[in-house]
Amino acid sequence: MDISQLFNTDLSITQQIEHPLFNERTVKVYVKRDDLIDPYVSGNKWRKLKYNLLQLKTLGKNGVLTFGGAYSNHLLATAYAANKAGVKSVGLVRGDELNVNSNETLSNCADLGMELRFLSREEYQKRNDKDYISAIMSEKTDLLFVPEGGANYYGMIGCQEIIKEVDEDFDAVFVAQGTTTTSCGILTSLKNELLYVVPVLKGFDSVAEMKKVLLSGGMDLSYVDDVLKNCRVLSEYHFGGYGKYTDELIEFIRDIYQTTGLKLDPIYTGKAFYAMFDQIKSGNLDGQSVLFIHTGGLQGVAGVEDKLGTKLFD
Ligand SMILES: *Cc1c(COP(=O)(O)O)cnc(C)c1O
């Protein structure tokens, strides 16, 4: 099995979308549809896994171990990609009150053959601690460690391919931000576009986090400072923080679906699209051509619908 061909990224087309507001403000909006790559291994999660999984063979490993929360897109993407590649997967999950039947994300992971271990929140805090990881991996020498969210150098270089697949030129690019891995990949592959990042976490220091990811890739500080000049952080669109959303955001997502047919999720892409929409509305992008990166995440909608007690799209 050629791991680089596990999912077909040709399905991620770039498409223009229409909305009365865009016409009014003379803005052209295009969407890079990474959500179309696969319903489970949505968008950027495959981008981030690809070069991680490509190391398996050279390192002589036969599976991966990673971390994720109860509704983690990354956990499910890892379970699915590992299943498809015919290798093992182990998922360490935040919350020892959970089990494989707690929700659909977790039961899907288990059905795909992922071995799940549920960690106390206290233990989960150590997920990026070097000594803790070494201790865990010393008992799992056949597995490759992939950090939560696929947030490492291999994840970042996979995300550089998103922009390389786009032929057109733009003035601005918009993307949702969690660990910053995707935005760092995009930032380091842009030509002259300005990158607007929309962190979904509250009180998140985007620039410091991006610096960390970029420097971990061996890039030197002057280059890192230089590329970061092409980045603008829109930190006012987290809607309360990670996993939080408001009625206004839900209404917005439904409205965009009705007017454009585009499905967004309330955790990541809905917030980023709202931010872009708001910037267009306020006239900051008049006359510009804008690319929105649809990073996927639609599998997470089920969890939101459980809480809302209604369907998000009908
Ligand atoms: C994980 C995820 C992100 C965040 O990507 P990072 O590389 O962690 O910044 C954005 N959008 C969706 C849909 C995601 O699932």
Side-chain angles (χ1 to χ4, degrees), residues 67 92 117-127 132 136:
F67 289 82
L92 306 189
R117 266 177 51 198
F118 298 91
L119 307 184
S120 67
R121 273 145 222 277
E122 194 184 9
E123 185 172 352
Y124 196 84
Q125 287 279 322
K126 295 191 281 188
R127 67 193 178 281
Y132 173 72
I136 287 192

Side-chain angles (χ1 to χ4, degrees), residues 44-45 48 73 149 176-182 265 268-269 295-297:
N44 68 341
K45 295 303 183 285
K48 295 198 273 183
N73 292 332
Q177 194 175 56
T179 64
T180 80
T181 315
T182 307
D265 78 286
Y268 290 104
T269 56
T295 42

Side-chain angles (χ1 to χ4, degrees), residues 44 174-178 182-183 196-200 268-269 272 292-293 295:
N44 68 341
F174 279 79
V175 70
Q177 194 175 56
T182 307
S183 40
Y196 291 86
V197 297
V198 183
V200 302
Y268 290 104
T269 56
F292 180 82
I293 311 292
T295 42

Side-chain angles (χ1 to χ4, degrees), residues 107-262:
S107 63
N108 284 337
C109 285
D111 290 344
L112 289 161
M114 181 176 255
E115 177 191 325
L116 294 171
R117 266 177 51 198
F118 298 91
L119 307 184
S120 67
R121 273 145 222 277
E122 194 184 9
E123 185 172 352
Y124 196 84
Q125 287 279 322
K126 295 191 281 188
R127 67 193 178 281
N128 293 320
D129 179 306
K130 275 203 176 76
D131 294 335
Y132 173 72
I133 298 298
S134 305
I136 287 192
M137 297 316 292
S138 68
E139 289 166 24
K140 300 270 184 193
T141 53
D142 58 330
L143 302 182
L144 174 76
F145 166 63
V146 176
E148 179 188 52
N152 61 9
Y153 170 71
Y154 296 98
M156 181 182 75
I157 59 170
C159 292
Q160 291 177 338
E161 295 183 350
I162 301 173
I163 292 297
K164 291 184 185 146
E165 291 166 6
V166 180
D167 297 325
E168 301 84 351
D169 288 331
F170 297 94
D171 299 298
V173 177
F174 279 79
V175 70
Q177 194 175 56
T179 64
T180 80
T181 315
T182 307
S183 40
C184 286
I186 291 172
L187 188 62
T188 51
S189 55
L190 287 177
K191 283 165 271 177
N192 292 305
E193 301 88 339
L194 202 56
L195 178 66
Y196 291 86
V197 297
V198 183
V200 302
L201 287 93
K202 190 176 167 179
F204 186 70
D205 190 344
S206 282
V207 171
E209 290 300 320
M210 291 177 86
K211 253 189 186 170
K212 249 193 264 170
V213 173
L214 293 165
L215 291 172
S216 79
M219 297 172 189
D220 62 63
L221 191 57
S222 62
Y223 171 76
V224 168
D225 284 337
D226 217 37
V227 287
L228 281 169
K229 288 184 191 140
N230 300 327
C231 182
R232 297 285 175 276
V233 181
L234 300 174
S235 52
E236 305 301 313
Y237 300 98
H238 54 69
F239 289 87
Y242 184 75
K244 306 243 165 63
Y245 41 85
T246 61
D247 291 345
E248 188 195 359
L249 181 64
I250 297 295
E251 273 320 302
F252 175 76
I253 287 171
R254 288 185 165 139
D255 193 53
I256 290 299
Y257 176 61
Q258 268 151 24
T259 46
T260 71
L262 196 68

